[in-house]
Amino acid sequence: MKHIIILGDGMADWPVKSLGDKTLLQYAKTPYMDKLARMGRNGRLITVAEGFHPGSEVANMSVLGYNLPKVYEGRGPLEAASIGVDLKPGEMAMRCNLICTEGDILKNHSAGHITTEEADVLIQYLQEKLGDDRVRFHTGVQYRHLLVIKGGDKRIDCTPPHDVPLRPFRPLMVKPMEGTENISVPEGGAELTPKQTADLINDLILRSQVLLENHPVNMKRKAEGKDPANSIWPWSPGYRPQME
């Protein structure tokens, strides 16, 4: 039997004063959702296991029945699988957003919801300029792309860009996880230490900003009053998971 799972990701929202302190969902007319509720069964479900951050990838895997402590490897490997990139042993994958910065401020996490066609030009350009035997960029959809680092160590502290709009980005750049700052010998399949991995990613972020600032795609977007995609923001690293 096949099933369809519809997940209202983020649908709960917050109360809005102008709507009588109702959420958007409470205020909206939802006859078909109401009908499904009347005909079905209702209840509450904990979709985020203890110790995991409340992200879409965590909750979706939980709803599908995966044992998170056993298989969860971050959003990067899921991004790789979704666009058909076959991760090899020792390769670390990261979700790589195209974002918009304004001065030192992270203006938004989606570069003004850039199109896939525009983004593909920029990602290919970054691969040409920054890609090498260790670093690869792959085009995804709209602002959501993939960075693969051969030998990277996933024990790094990364900030999801959608969590920090309108905040200075430099204090939020990648850091080694607490307790790994002084590790001098890579562990497991990594070739780089956590600090070396963090330094490499931060260097890519800053170099991407120089390369993208005056790229023709961004010059055109700015002329049209749109936000430019003038920086990358890699986050949520992991290795190829052992999933059924």
Side-chain angles (χ1 to χ4, degrees):
M1 178 182 290
K2 293 184 178 180
H3 296 76
I4 296 175
I5 298 174
I6 300 173
L7 247 163
D9 189 347
M11 190 184 288
D13 216 322
W14 297 97
V16 180
K17 281 188 178 181
S18 62
L19 302 180
D21 280 329
K22 291 183 177 180
T23 69
L24 299 182
L25 189 58
Q26 288 173 321
Y27 188 81
K29 290 181 172 61
T30 55
Y32 294 105
M33 292 174 67
D34 296 344
K35 182 179 179 181
L36 285 171
R38 285 195 302 272
M39 295 171 63
R41 286 184 293 176
N42 298 282
R44 294 197 296 173
L45 178 68
I46 295 174
T47 58
V48 178
E50 188 174 346
F52 287 85
H53 74 279
S56 302
E57 76 283 21
V58 170
N60 288 338
M61 289 175 68
S62 176
V63 168
L64 291 171
Y66 284 105
N67 181 337
L68 289 175
K70 182 179 179 182
V71 304
Y72 179 69
E73 276 288 339
R75 196 172 295 213
L78 297 178
E79 199 76 41
S82 75
I83 60 176
V85 173
D86 186 23
L87 293 178
K88 301 295 187 292
E91 291 186 334
M92 183 185 80
M94 302 183 74
R95 166 73 168 274
C96 186
N97 281 40
L98 282 174
I99 67 168
C100 176
T101 63
E102 202 166 73
D104 280 342
I105 301 298
L106 195 160
K107 186 177 181 183
N108 65 60
H109 71 283
S110 63
H113 290 280
I114 189 170
T115 67
T116 301
E117 292 74 22
E118 291 171 305
D120 183 43
V121 174
L122 297 179
I123 293 297
Q124 290 193 46
Y125 178 63
L126 291 174
Q127 173 60 25
E128 177 190 339
K129 297 295 184 180
L130 301 179
D132 54 28
D133 291 342
R134 186 177 295 282
V135 172
R136 298 198 317 273
F137 292 89
H138 297 271
T139 303
V141 177
Q142 294 182 330
Y143 59 89
R144 312 171 188 90
H145 306 284
L146 179 71
L147 171 64
V148 178
I149 298 177
K150 182 182 177 183
D153 193 313
K154 72 173 185 177
R155 292 173 299 172
I156 50 178
D157 185 7
C158 305
T159 301
H162 52 265
D163 285 353
V164 289
L166 304 180
R167 287 175 56 182
F169 73 82
R170 289 181 187 275
L172 304 171
M173 293 176 75
V174 184
K175 304 172 184 65
M177 277 189 178
E178 192 172 342
T180 68
E181 302 92 333
N182 298 317
I183 289 177
S184 58
V185 179
E187 295 180 6
E191 298 171 7
L192 304 174
T193 65
K195 185 179 186 309
Q196 288 172 332
T197 304
D199 289 346
L200 170 61
I201 296 165
N202 289 332
D203 181 60
L204 291 172
I205 291 173
L206 296 176
R207 289 169 68 192
S208 79
Q209 293 176 358
V210 175
L211 290 167
L212 294 176
E213 182 60 34
N214 294 311
H215 189 281
V217 167
N218 281 327
M219 297 298 284
K220 183 172 183 290
R221 287 183 64 81
K222 286 188 278 190
E224 294 171 349
K226 299 175 182 177
D227 285 337
N230 55 9
S231 181
I232 60 168
W233 194 267
W235 58 287
S236 200
Y239 311 124
R240 184 186 179 114
Q242 301 300 312
M243 297 171 67
E244 296 180 29

